Amino acid sequence: MPIHNADIAAVFSEIADLLEIESANPFRIRAYRNAARVVGDASVDVCGMVAGEKDLRMLPGIGADLAAKIREIVQTGKCAFLDRLHGEVPPAIAELLHIPGLGPMRVRILWHALGVETLEQLRRVAGEGRIREVPGFGEKSEQKILQAVEAHLSKTQRFTLAVATQYVDALAAHLKAAAGVDRVEAAGSFRRRRETVGDLDMLVTAAANSPVTAAFTGYEEVAEVLASGPTRASVRLKSGLQVDLRVVAPESYGAALYYFTGSKAHNVAVRRLAQERGLKINEYGVFRGDARIAGESEESVFEAVGLPWIPPELREDRGEIDAAMKGRLPALVDLEDLRGDLHCHTKATDGRDTLEAMAQAAKAAGLEYLAITEHSQRLAMARGLDAERLAAQIDEIDRLNDKLRGIRLLKGIEVDILEDGKLDLPDAVLARLDIVVASIHSHFDLPQAKQTRRVLKAMDHKHFTLMGHPTARLLDEREPCELDMPRIIRHARERGCGLELNSQPDRLDLVDTWCKAAKEEGVLVSIDSDAHSVRDFANLRFGIGQARRGWLEAADVLNARPLAELRRLVGH
Ligand code: DGT
Ligand code: CA
Ligand code: CA
Ligand code: ZN
């Protein structure tokens, strides 16, 4: 990973924060603050200076000691001094400095007097009325701290992409109804299809006299107006979701869309490219001196810096700029590329709809085939199928396929991977299936070596087709299982198995980075709905978003293949 100026600056400002909490020498603290600013604002790539063995002391305020630290960070990705400070001062404590009214000195007092090291602990002691007893604090400052920490914690709560989508759709319709409004688009992490969003960044173009900001702040879901002006406003919705609105001129629309789509890391990297060409790039346009040379469309912005348009999902500074320069951007998979779905449930287990209803819904979603993959017997809560009930369903699918037109049902199962790596149903019945999705639904917290062995063993089973929701994570609820994913991906390649990208909004598992690793290893990914009702096929678009963030093309996706080819690939 290349180290950017912003990374180095972040290390120095954290050092300054921690030194302040330790009440170190003020000159020393100021030296680090200054270094953070100098490096952060530098128009040259400091990493490149190190590589070129340039003298870092050319940078204002950087002496021999700071220069050595910069070289250390660039060369090792670490800073021993910061690591040492982390040993002395609790690492999360610097977060407390973001609370208005809490400077380093007061943070230190609360830490020593009450053991407060995190925002949650701060909220607790404030709620319990213990801060007012600390010398130098009173009831009033305790109340202020409580309010501030609560506001801060609620601000950092993130919303799933599916939930955010509901807000975006409703709000966009509301804004479009305001007079003079032309374009409305959600930028930010929402447009990059991140699995969660921190806040929404809405962009609007509108006629000069349009009442769009008033329409925005007057929206019925708004709980609090945080800021409001003629061209920008911020609100918090009743759900706690914050929304920023910016009204931009049509000639700046592309530049604003580009800027507010981010990510910040991507923007910083492209800004550096622009600087190398003597250009300045901001939310109003691309400028050479005072002359604006681009900004109406995103394409024009990219073109001005010598790049083709980069899809928003790739804009994370994970190699997309280099790929764009070399003309090697992937042709990302689209919803329309999906020919089938290899994971769903019906009323027979914990789904809500019948086989036939699921088949018709899949057809309506534009699919040509659908694998029925109920839970297996171990999942008693979901009324998982034993061999006998599965055999009965296989016969039912045969009968149904005779009369269905335009959609083909495949026989499958979502079989539990037992703790020892065995599959939860006998081979004889698995052999009759087209698709065997195997998933972990128990013993989520085995240590990595054991968990990995469990999965590798399951993959060795001759009927194993696909690993379902591979890490079993649930957003906000369950951490991913500890698995040696690179090893599992390699094993999948050797065994000719696929990995699922489960499209349920709180799963989105495989995550983007593992999708990319699978692609690089030549392992096919199946983007499945895991539908439990006819409505759930709509979730495929979230899986597609994650797949695109993982650089997947149609050729990397198992269920983008026509049925005959799929059958060949899974060996049935
Ligand atoms: P989120 O809201 O946490 O899910 O993530 P984003 O990416 O939507 O971040 P947000 O809402 O803070 O800002 C929206 C975009 O605005 C961000 O992706 C890039 C741009 N942006 C914000 N602050 C800066 C900045 O300081 N420098 C640059 N270059 N871009 C920024
Ligand atoms: Ca945002
Ligand atoms: Ca924002
Ligand atoms: Zn499952």
Side-chain angles (χ1 to χ4, degrees), residues 189 199-201:
S189 52
D199 69 5
L200 293 176
D201 306 280

Side-chain angles (χ1 to χ4, degrees), residues 187-190 192 197-201 244 260:
S189 52
F190 181 84
R192 303 197 313 278
V197 305
D199 69 5
L200 293 176
D201 306 280
D244 298 335
F260 291 112

Side-chain angles (χ1 to χ4, degrees), residues 495-523:
R495 299 276 312 127
C497 310
L499 297 174
E500 177 181 75
L501 195 183
N502 189 296
S503 301
Q504 286 191 12
D506 60 346
R507 286 199 186 268
L508 293 176
D509 177 17
L510 285 184
V511 298
D512 47 16
T513 46
W514 293 133
C515 286
K516 193 164 184 235
K519 171 198 174 106
E520 282 160 7
E521 195 71 45
V523 171

Side-chain angles (χ1 to χ4, degrees), residues 176 180-185 203-206 249-251 253-254 296-297:
K176 278 192 177 139
V181 171
D182 185 12
R183 280 187 279 206
V184 176
E185 188 147 11
L203 281 189
V204 164
T205 57
E251 65 269 23
Y253 182 72
E296 195 173 351
S297 67

Side-chain angles (χ1 to χ4, degrees), residues 92-152:
I93 210 166
E95 275 243 84
L96 301 185
L97 295 171
H98 298 308
I99 302 300
L102 277 191
M105 167 113 112
R106 300 188 102 196
V107 166
R108 185 161 49 96
I109 292 173
L110 291 175
W111 171 36
H112 287 309
L114 301 173
V116 172
E117 298 182 1
T118 66
L119 288 167
E120 281 75 16
Q121 290 168 348
L122 181 65
R123 172 162 62 180
R124 202 179 62 234
V125 296
E128 290 168 354
R130 290 168 61 200
I131 289 179
R132 69 185 75 171
E133 288 157 20
V134 178
F137 292 82
E139 207 174 320
K140 230 168 148 183
S141 58
E142 184 183 68
Q143 276 312 310
K144 269 197 184 146
I145 290 172
L146 183 59
Q147 275 168 15
V149 74
E150 270 173 354
H152 188 86

